[in-house]
Amino acid sequence: MRGVRKRFVIWITYRGAVRISLGVVAVMLTVILLTQKVPASRTWTYWTLPLSGKIIAIDAGHGGVDGGAVSKQGMVEKDLNLAIALQLRDYLQQAGAIVVMTREGDYDLADEGTSKISKRKTQDLVNRVKFIKDKNASLLLSIHMNSIPSPRWSGAQTFFYPNLPENAVLASLIQDEIRRNLANTDRVAATVNTVYLLKAMDEVPSALVEVGFLSNPGEAARLADAEYQKKVAASIYQGILRFTAGEKWGTSTGADAGADAAGSE
Protein backbone atom coordinates (compact mmCIF):
# COMPACT_ATOMS: atom_id res chain seq x y z
CA MET A 1 0.00 0.00 0.00
CA ARG A 2 1.49 3.19 -1.06
CA GLY A 3 2.02 5.94 1.52
CA VAL A 4 -0.32 8.81 1.28
CA ARG A 5 1.33 12.23 1.26
CA LYS A 6 -0.63 14.98 2.87
CA ARG A 7 -0.08 18.44 1.58
CA PHE A 8 -1.42 21.64 3.04
CA VAL A 9 -1.91 24.52 0.72
CA ILE A 10 -2.34 28.00 2.21
CA TRP A 11 -3.80 30.56 -0.03
CA ILE A 12 -2.61 34.11 0.69
CA THR A 13 -3.98 37.07 -1.11
CA TYR A 14 -1.68 39.82 -2.32
CA ARG A 15 -2.98 42.16 0.38
CA GLY A 16 -2.36 39.55 3.06
CA ALA A 17 1.23 39.01 1.87
CA VAL A 18 1.87 42.75 2.08
CA ARG A 19 0.52 42.86 5.62
CA ILE A 20 2.73 39.99 6.72
CA SER A 21 5.79 41.61 5.12
CA LEU A 22 5.07 44.91 6.83
CA GLY A 23 4.67 43.11 10.15
CA VAL A 24 8.05 41.42 9.78
CA VAL A 25 9.70 44.73 8.91
CA ALA A 26 8.06 46.39 11.93
CA VAL A 27 9.37 43.66 14.25
CA MET A 28 12.87 44.01 12.81
CA LEU A 29 12.84 47.79 13.23
CA THR A 30 11.66 47.42 16.82
CA VAL A 31 14.53 45.05 17.58
CA ILE A 32 17.04 47.45 16.00
CA LEU A 33 15.69 50.44 17.95
CA LEU A 34 15.80 48.54 21.22
CA THR A 35 19.40 47.44 20.68
CA GLN A 36 20.39 51.02 19.74
CA LYS A 37 18.67 52.63 22.71
CA VAL A 38 21.80 53.56 24.67
CA PRO A 39 23.75 55.21 21.80
CA ALA A 40 20.65 57.08 20.68
CA SER A 41 20.12 58.32 24.22
CA ARG A 42 23.72 59.53 24.41
CA THR A 43 23.42 61.37 21.12
CA TRP A 44 20.24 63.10 22.24
CA THR A 45 21.82 64.05 25.55
CA TYR A 46 24.91 65.44 23.81
CA TRP A 47 22.95 67.72 21.53
CA THR A 48 20.83 69.03 24.40
CA LEU A 49 23.80 70.03 26.61
CA PRO A 50 23.74 73.82 27.19
CA LEU A 51 27.27 74.52 25.91
CA SER A 52 27.46 71.96 23.09
CA GLY A 53 29.86 73.08 20.35
CA LYS A 54 31.00 76.26 22.11
CA ILE A 55 34.77 76.79 22.29
CA ILE A 56 35.68 78.43 25.60
CA ALA A 57 39.21 79.50 26.52
CA ILE A 58 40.40 79.48 30.12
CA ASP A 59 43.52 81.40 31.09
CA ALA A 60 45.14 80.41 34.38
CA GLY A 61 47.12 83.52 35.19
CA HIS A 62 50.90 83.44 35.51
CA GLY A 63 52.95 80.23 35.35
CA GLY A 64 56.57 79.13 35.04
CA VAL A 65 59.03 81.73 36.31
CA ASP A 66 56.14 84.14 36.88
CA GLY A 67 54.54 82.97 40.10
CA GLY A 68 52.30 85.98 40.65
CA ALA A 69 51.33 86.94 44.20
CA VAL A 70 52.41 84.91 47.24
CA SER A 71 50.56 84.72 50.56
CA LYS A 72 52.29 85.01 53.92
CA GLN A 73 51.73 81.28 54.31
CA GLY A 74 53.70 80.67 51.10
CA MET A 75 50.81 79.86 48.78
CA VAL A 76 51.66 80.89 45.22
CA GLU A 77 49.06 82.47 42.95
CA LYS A 78 49.99 80.55 39.80
CA ASP A 79 49.24 77.21 41.50
CA LEU A 80 45.88 78.28 42.91
CA ASN A 81 44.85 79.91 39.63
CA LEU A 82 45.51 76.63 37.83
CA ALA A 83 43.59 74.55 40.37
CA ILE A 84 40.47 76.70 39.93
CA ALA A 85 40.92 76.80 36.14
CA LEU A 86 41.05 73.00 35.94
CA GLN A 87 37.90 72.70 38.04
CA LEU A 88 36.15 75.24 35.80
CA ARG A 89 37.29 73.25 32.76
CA ASP A 90 35.60 70.13 34.14
CA TYR A 91 32.31 71.96 34.72
CA LEU A 92 32.33 73.43 31.22
CA GLN A 93 33.19 70.12 29.57
CA GLN A 94 30.38 68.39 31.41
CA ALA A 95 28.04 70.98 29.88
CA GLY A 96 29.29 70.11 26.38
CA ALA A 97 31.81 72.90 25.82
CA ILE A 98 35.10 72.45 23.99
CA VAL A 99 37.61 73.91 26.45
CA VAL A 100 41.05 75.19 25.50
CA MET A 101 43.50 76.28 28.18
CA THR A 102 46.47 78.59 27.82
CA ARG A 103 48.27 76.33 30.25
CA GLU A 104 47.51 73.06 32.02
CA GLY A 105 50.68 72.91 34.10
CA ASP A 106 53.37 75.09 35.65
CA TYR A 107 54.79 76.77 32.56
CA ASP A 108 54.45 79.92 30.49
CA LEU A 109 54.11 80.44 26.75
CA ALA A 110 57.28 82.47 26.25
CA ASP A 111 59.60 81.58 23.39
CA GLU A 112 62.14 78.88 24.16
CA GLY A 113 65.53 80.29 25.06
CA THR A 114 64.26 83.64 26.38
CA SER A 115 66.00 84.17 29.70
CA LYS A 116 65.15 87.72 30.75
CA ILE A 117 62.08 87.51 32.99
CA SER A 118 60.48 90.78 31.82
CA LYS A 119 60.81 89.68 28.20
CA ARG A 120 59.38 86.25 29.03
CA LYS A 121 56.32 87.87 30.59
CA THR A 122 55.72 89.98 27.48
CA GLN A 123 56.17 87.04 25.12
CA ASP A 124 53.97 84.91 27.33
CA LEU A 125 51.02 87.33 27.09
CA VAL A 126 51.45 87.84 23.34
CA ASN A 127 51.52 84.08 22.77
CA ARG A 128 48.47 83.55 24.98
CA VAL A 129 46.52 85.97 22.81
CA LYS A 130 47.68 84.18 19.67
CA PHE A 131 46.78 80.79 21.14
CA ILE A 132 43.25 81.89 22.03
CA LYS A 133 42.62 83.42 18.61
CA ASP A 134 44.10 80.44 16.77
CA LYS A 135 41.67 78.16 18.64
CA ASN A 136 38.72 80.29 17.47
CA ALA A 137 37.46 80.63 21.02
CA SER A 138 34.03 82.20 21.42
CA LEU A 139 34.65 83.20 25.05
CA LEU A 140 37.63 83.86 27.34
CA LEU A 141 37.87 83.66 31.11
CA SER A 142 41.11 84.65 32.85
CA ILE A 143 41.63 83.68 36.49
CA HIS A 144 43.84 85.68 38.85
CA MET A 145 44.20 86.59 42.52
CA ASN A 146 44.66 89.97 44.17
CA SER A 147 47.31 91.07 46.62
CA ILE A 148 47.94 94.46 48.25
CA PRO A 149 50.05 95.55 51.25
CA SER A 150 47.06 95.79 53.59
CA PRO A 151 45.50 92.50 54.81
CA ARG A 152 42.19 94.30 55.29
CA TRP A 153 40.66 93.65 51.87
CA SER A 154 39.01 90.43 50.77
CA GLY A 155 36.44 89.17 48.29
CA ALA A 156 36.32 88.43 44.58
CA GLN A 157 35.70 90.84 41.72
CA THR A 158 35.23 90.43 37.97
CA PHE A 159 36.76 92.86 35.48
CA PHE A 160 36.24 93.58 31.81
CA TYR A 161 37.66 95.77 29.08
CA PRO A 162 34.92 97.94 27.51
CA ASN A 163 35.71 97.28 23.85
CA LEU A 164 32.76 94.91 23.39
CA PRO A 165 29.28 95.41 24.90
CA GLU A 166 29.12 91.69 25.70
CA ASN A 167 32.07 92.02 28.08
CA ALA A 168 30.10 94.03 30.63
CA VAL A 169 27.25 91.52 30.50
CA LEU A 170 29.55 88.51 30.92
CA ALA A 171 31.47 90.08 33.81
CA SER A 172 28.30 91.27 35.58
CA LEU A 173 26.62 87.86 35.40
CA ILE A 174 29.72 86.15 36.77
CA GLN A 175 30.04 88.71 39.56
CA ASP A 176 26.37 88.25 40.42
CA GLU A 177 26.93 84.50 40.85
CA ILE A 178 30.04 85.14 42.96
CA ARG A 179 28.11 87.45 45.25
CA ARG A 180 25.25 84.97 45.54
CA ASN A 181 27.28 81.76 46.00
CA LEU A 182 30.36 82.93 47.89
CA ALA A 183 28.65 85.74 49.80
CA ASN A 184 32.00 87.39 50.47
CA THR A 185 31.63 90.69 48.64
CA ASP A 186 29.20 93.42 47.59
CA ARG A 187 31.38 94.52 44.68
CA VAL A 188 30.05 94.83 41.16
CA ALA A 189 31.84 94.09 37.90
CA ALA A 190 34.22 96.88 36.92
CA THR A 191 36.18 98.08 33.93
CA VAL A 192 39.94 97.68 33.76
CA ASN A 193 42.14 99.29 31.13
CA THR A 194 45.57 97.89 31.94
CA VAL A 195 45.21 94.16 31.21
CA TYR A 196 46.78 93.36 27.84
CA LEU A 197 45.03 90.01 27.47
CA LEU A 198 41.58 91.60 27.69
CA LYS A 199 42.47 94.56 25.46
CA ALA A 200 43.71 92.21 22.75
CA MET A 201 40.40 90.30 22.64
CA ASP A 202 38.80 92.62 20.11
CA GLU A 203 36.32 90.02 18.82
CA VAL A 204 36.05 87.57 21.72
CA PRO A 205 33.88 88.33 24.78
CA SER A 206 36.13 88.15 27.81
CA ALA A 207 36.38 88.74 31.54
CA LEU A 208 39.03 88.48 34.23
CA VAL A 209 38.11 87.21 37.68
CA GLU A 210 40.23 88.20 40.66
CA VAL A 211 38.93 85.39 42.83
CA GLY A 212 40.22 86.76 46.14
CA PHE A 213 43.04 88.41 48.05
CA LEU A 214 46.10 86.36 48.92
CA SER A 215 47.11 89.26 51.15
CA ASN A 216 44.19 88.46 53.45
CA PRO A 217 45.19 85.46 55.65
CA GLY A 218 41.67 84.10 56.06
CA GLU A 219 40.83 84.33 52.38
CA ALA A 220 44.22 82.92 51.38
CA ALA A 221 43.47 79.83 53.45
CA ARG A 222 40.07 79.44 51.79
CA LEU A 223 41.55 79.83 48.32
CA ALA A 224 43.90 76.94 49.03
CA ASP A 225 40.98 74.68 50.02
CA ALA A 226 39.81 72.31 47.27
CA GLU A 227 36.13 72.57 48.20
CA TYR A 228 36.23 76.36 48.16
CA GLN A 229 37.99 76.26 44.79
CA LYS A 230 35.07 74.21 43.47
CA LYS A 231 32.63 76.85 44.74
CA VAL A 232 34.59 79.60 43.00
CA ALA A 233 34.71 77.61 39.75
CA ALA A 234 31.00 76.79 40.00
CA SER A 235 30.15 80.48 40.41
CA ILE A 236 32.10 81.39 37.28
CA TYR A 237 30.52 78.48 35.43
CA GLN A 238 26.99 79.53 36.37
CA GLY A 239 27.70 83.06 35.18
CA ILE A 240 28.88 81.67 31.84
CA LEU A 241 25.71 79.58 31.52
CA ARG A 242 23.57 82.66 32.05
CA PHE A 243 25.59 84.60 29.50
CA THR A 244 25.45 81.91 26.81
CA ALA A 245 21.71 81.54 27.43
CA GLY A 246 21.32 85.16 26.30
CA GLU A 247 20.59 86.77 29.64
CA LYS A 248 21.17 90.52 29.67
CA TRP A 249 22.63 92.78 32.33
CA GLY A 250 23.15 96.51 32.66
CA THR A 251 26.66 97.84 32.08
CA SER A 252 28.43 98.60 35.34
CA THR A 253 31.73 100.41 35.68
CA GLY A 254 31.67 100.93 39.41
CA ALA A 255 34.89 100.19 41.29
CA ASP A 256 36.19 100.28 44.80
CA ALA A 257 39.38 99.48 46.65
CA GLY A 258 39.34 96.00 45.13
CA ALA A 259 39.33 97.48 41.63
CA ASP A 260 42.20 99.76 42.53
CA ALA A 261 44.12 96.67 43.58
CA ALA A 262 43.67 94.86 40.31
CA GLY A 263 47.31 95.17 39.34
CA SER A 264 48.44 91.74 40.45
CA GLU A 265 48.72 90.52 36.84
Side-chain angles (χ1 to χ4, degrees):
M1 183 177 179
R2 294 182 178 179
V4 178
R5 293 183 180 179
K6 295 182 180 180
R7 291 186 299 175
F8 294 92
V9 178
I10 300 176
W11 294 96
I12 301 177
T13 64
Y14 175 76
R15 183 177 294 180
V18 171
R19 289 178 177 175
I20 293 173
S21 298
L22 290 175
V24 172
V25 171
V27 171
M28 292 177 64
L29 287 174
T30 302
V31 172
I32 292 172
L33 289 174
L34 289 174
T35 58
Q36 297 297 316
K37 182 177 179 180
V38 173
S41 174
R42 288 176 180 172
T43 301
W44 176 256
T45 301
Y46 173 79
W47 286 112
T48 55
L49 291 174
L51 299 177
S52 292
K54 294 187 181 298
I55 302 174
I56 298 178
I58 303 176
D59 173 59
H62 308 286
V65 296
D66 179 14
V70 181
S71 72
K72 288 185 177 181
Q73 296 80 10
M75 290 170 285
V76 184
E77 180 186 355
K78 65 176 181 179
D79 300 328
L80 302 180
N81 289 341
L82 181 59
I84 294 172
L86 291 173
Q87 186 62 55
L88 176 59
R89 176 200 63 186
D90 292 346
Y91 287 140
L92 293 171
Q93 287 179 338
Q94 289 169 11
I98 299 169
V99 180
V100 295
M101 299 186 65
T102 55
R103 69 182 183 95
E104 296 183 84
D106 184 14
Y107 54 83
D108 61 25
L109 273 65
D111 299 339
E112 187 176 353
T114 303
S115 57
K116 191 175 180 180
I117 294 180
S118 60
K119 191 173 183 180
R120 287 195 69 88
K121 288 184 178 181
T122 300
Q123 289 180 350
D124 176 46
L125 289 173
V126 170
N127 289 337
R128 290 187 193 219
V129 170
K130 183 178 184 302
F131 172 84
I132 294 165
K133 291 185 175 181
D134 287 347
K135 295 296 183 180
N136 296 315
S138 58
L139 200 68
L140 165 65
L141 268 299
S142 186
I143 297 173
H144 283 260
M145 295 186 183
N146 245 321
S147 182
I148 57 176
S150 172
R152 172 186 173 188
W153 300 103
S154 64
Q157 187 164 20
T158 309
F159 296 90
F160 64 94
Y161 185 71
N163 59 339
L164 295 176
E166 299 97 320
N167 292 348
V169 178
L170 173 62
S172 295
L173 292 173
I174 291 174
Q175 185 65 21
D176 188 53
E177 289 298 321
I178 286 173
R179 292 173 61 177
R180 183 172 67 86
N181 294 325
L182 302 183
N184 64 4
T185 181
D186 291 325
R187 298 187 181 94
V188 296
T191 57
V192 63
N193 298 309
T194 58
V195 179
Y196 171 77
L197 188 66
L198 297 186
K199 292 174 69 175
M201 294 294 111
D202 47 2
E203 297 180 357
V204 180
S206 59
L208 182 148
V209 186
E210 296 275 4
V211 298
F213 283 76
L214 283 178
S215 49
N216 180 287
E219 188 158 66
R222 289 192 295 275
L223 290 168
D225 179 73
E227 290 303 314
Y228 187 78
Q229 291 170 358
K230 289 181 180 179
K231 290 180 66 176
V232 173
S235 299
I236 300 172
Y237 164 69
Q238 289 165 357
I240 293 173
L241 283 181
R242 291 171 63 183
F243 175 79
T244 56
E247 188 171 335
K248 302 300 181 183
W249 190 276
T251 301
S252 173
T253 57
D256 55 16
D260 295 334
S264 68
E265 179 175 63

